[in-house]
Amino acid sequence: MRVGLYGGSFNPPHRGHAHVGRLALQRLGLDRIWWLVSPGNPLKSTDGLPDVGQRLAAVRRVANHPRAVVTDLEARLGTRYTIDLVRRLKALRPHVRFVLVIGADNWATFHRWGGWREIARMVPIAVVDRPGATFAALASPAARTFAGARVAERDGLLLPDLVPPAWIFIAGVKVPLSSTDLRRAAERA
């Protein structure tokens, strides 16, 4: 089983998130993509963050794909950091080939994540391009640290089977939406 781990606050989820999920399924040949609705990003304030139940319902409407699984697994496992989640999942499901799916904006700041080097050595990472994030992602500390582990985009179907560290940068159509912009627009309305 090849499973993409696509986590976030999804506050609110939007068609840009759905695009990333579908692109990962297609380009990586995943059997499933798990939308991991987090209790809250440790690098962001949780002030005004709707509860997990509300965000789960909203993500289910957006994820709408037969191979998408929307879950609050992080809350149920009691993990707050991606490194802890990856460790637990690999222990619980040793035969599943997990791939971390993140946006280029997250890859640009990946070096701020707790245990980021260890995460990259535990699971392959698919970085999906996002508007305005291309250059920052490709010049990031993570990209430089793991430059020798970058896989050509044309070899995306191989990524889930590779021994980490291994990462890919997936280009393509970019949906110019962000949750931050959507929240700001809602506040002004």
Side-chain angles (χ1 to χ4, degrees):
M1 179 75 70
R2 299 155 62 110
V3 175
L5 302 174
Y6 183 31
S9 300
F10 301 113
N11 179 32
H14 52 74
R15 64 184 170 87
H17 292 128
H19 173 73
V20 168
R22 285 191 303 274
L23 200 58
L25 281 165
Q26 175 190 24
R27 300 273 184 93
L28 305 174
L30 300 174
D31 297 302
R32 298 276 182 280
I33 188 154
W34 293 357
W35 289 61
L36 302 161
V37 179
S38 76
N41 182 332
L43 297 176
K44 296 179 182 176
S45 170
T46 57
D47 291 345
L49 182 67
D51 71 41
V52 172
Q54 290 174 296
R55 289 181 289 124
L56 277 169
V59 170
R60 284 188 182 104
R61 290 188 294 273
V62 171
N64 194 20
H65 190 282
R67 290 184 288 157
V69 176
V70 178
T71 179
D72 62 348
L73 188 61
E74 287 183 279
R76 288 187 284 124
L77 290 176
T79 58
R80 180 156 164 82
Y81 296 95
T82 301
I83 185 61
D84 297 327
L85 176 68
V86 169
R87 285 179 186 141
R88 291 285 300 276
L89 288 176
K90 288 185 68 69
L92 291 170
R93 301 283 189 264
H95 301 296
V96 173
R97 292 178 304 238
F98 291 108
V99 174
L100 183 64
V101 177
I102 63 175
D105 51 335
N106 283 311
W107 186 241
T109 60
F110 192 67
H111 62 284
R112 294 178 57 212
W113 293 26
W116 66 279
R117 286 181 178 91
E118 185 179 349
I119 295 167
R121 289 184 180 106
M122 291 180 71
V123 291
I125 300 172
V127 180
V128 180
D129 201 4
R130 297 265 300 129
T134 307
F135 297 113
L138 293 175
S140 69
R144 290 192 313 270
T145 299
F146 294 106
R150 185 173 174 189
V151 175
E153 186 173 1
R154 69 179 173 276
D155 294 327
L157 294 176
L158 303 175
L159 187 71
D161 298 318
L162 296 178
V163 174
W167 68 281
I168 190 169
F169 190 83
I170 301 173
V173 175
K174 296 176 228 159
V175 178
L177 291 173
S178 82
S179 294
T180 302
D181 291 344
L182 292 172
R183 283 193 310 275
R184 285 183 186 141
E187 288 169 6
R188 287 190 299 266

